[in-house]
Amino acid sequence: MKKVFSRAFLVLMMVVLYLPIFVLAIYSFTDSANIGVIHGFSLKNYETLFTKPDLRAMIVGTLVLAIGSAFISTILGTLGAVGVFYSGKFGNAVVGSLNQIPVVNAEVVTAFSLCILLIGVCGVDKSSFVSLLIGHIVLEAPFVYLSVVPKLKQMDNSLYEAALDLGASPAVALCRIVFPQIFPGVVSGFALAVTLSLDDYFITSYTKPATFDTISTYVVNATRGSQTEIKTALWALSTIIFVVVVLMVMIMNMTENKNIKNGKKAGAENGKE
């Protein structure tokens, strides 16, 4: 009975999580203008998504910002995690606690703070995109740090020490020994940073140039207006984003499982020798 209830509860949670997205995907393939009425099958929403110049510009700008900020955040978060990991218990505890504050802190507080500091105090010009890029890096880097730290704790640190004893410099040991072991965490951090950038609204709305929109700010502005064609095209965009995220998660899980199997296989062969 416990197994039956646990499986039923799991199915219920899966339905609650994914049924709304499934309904959204169905509507994206219809020519319905309103929720509640489904008409015939149509690719009109996807056609509008890729033929409207303002929608294309918004998508390209969002992707460039997301990938660029995620790349910088991944470098900073990874280097920070590695540096803190080898800095001793005191530094690890202090920096680890400080890193959790931006993660737990309300995003609207971070948005107001960045707006006042960068634009009000430092005088950064919003039209230069510098404030927007910095804002996204501030949002994403702590999450990259949290993705890399568990991999550092799981790795075999004796390999790094052995490389140093054999004459390798710390930089060489870091690149050849440490980084391959934490690479899954780095990839997970990068993917999470991209997702955070795509989803962010508050920091983006307070630091972006007036003529620039990301997916989040564009969606909010579109839902306030009366452009039905744009609203329904955003259903198609949401469906595409979900499918891409699912594929990314599947690829990362398959890669990590493959690495674990290869590691166990290599360990078994070494044990036989």
Side-chain angles (χ1 to χ4, degrees), residues 120-256:
V121 178
C122 298
V124 176
D125 187 3
K126 289 180 68 175
S127 62
S128 65
F129 290 91
V130 174
S131 59
L132 178 59
L133 180 61
I134 294 175
H136 277 239
I137 293 172
V138 170
L139 171 68
E140 299 161 14
F143 290 90
V144 176
Y145 176 95
L146 292 177
S147 298
V148 175
V149 166
K151 294 299 179 182
L152 286 167
K153 294 180 179 179
Q154 293 173 9
M155 74 176 187
D156 186 359
N157 196 45
S158 61
L159 295 176
Y160 175 76
E161 297 174 354
L164 296 179
D165 292 338
L166 293 174
S169 66
V172 172
L174 177 65
C175 294
R176 296 188 177 183
I177 303 299
V178 176
F179 185 74
Q181 296 186 76
I182 66 173
F183 184 72
V186 175
V187 174
S188 299
F190 177 81
L192 180 59
V194 171
T195 304
L196 288 170
S197 178
L198 294 175
D199 187 57
D200 176 71
Y201 173 74
F202 285 107
I203 292 177
T204 302
S205 61
Y206 281 101
T207 57
K208 74 178 184 69
T211 58
F212 180 80
D213 271 315
T214 62
I215 292 175
S216 58
T217 58
Y218 191 94
V219 167
V220 172
N221 294 331
T223 52
R224 289 174 180 172
S226 58
Q227 295 177 297
T228 304
E229 186 181 26
I230 299 297
K231 293 179 182 179
T232 55
L234 294 175
W235 299 348
L237 177 60
S238 301
T239 303
I240 292 174
I241 292 175
F242 176 74
V243 172
V244 171
V245 169
V246 170
L247 292 176
M248 288 176 58
V249 171
M250 291 176 61
I251 292 173
M252 288 190 297
N253 289 339
M254 291 173 62
T255 303
E256 187 169 358

Side-chain angles (χ1 to χ4, degrees), residues 26-98:
I26 292 176
Y27 272 92
S28 71
F29 287 101
T30 68
D31 56 1
S32 301
N34 297 305
I35 300 295
V37 179
I38 297 181
H39 298 293
F41 174 84
S42 174
L43 295 176
K44 179 182 177 182
N45 294 327
Y46 292 87
E47 181 182 353
T48 302
L49 181 64
F50 293 105
T51 55
K52 286 281 187 181
D54 56 337
L55 284 173
R56 288 204 310 267
M58 177 269 294
I59 294 172
V60 172
T62 302
L63 291 177
V64 171
L65 173 64
I67 295 174
S69 62
F71 180 76
I72 299 174
S73 299
T74 301
I75 294 175
L76 296 177
T78 301
L79 293 178
V82 172
V84 170
F85 182 76
Y86 289 105
S87 65
K89 293 183 179 180
F90 178 76
N92 202 332
V94 172
V95 177
S97 299
L98 291 175

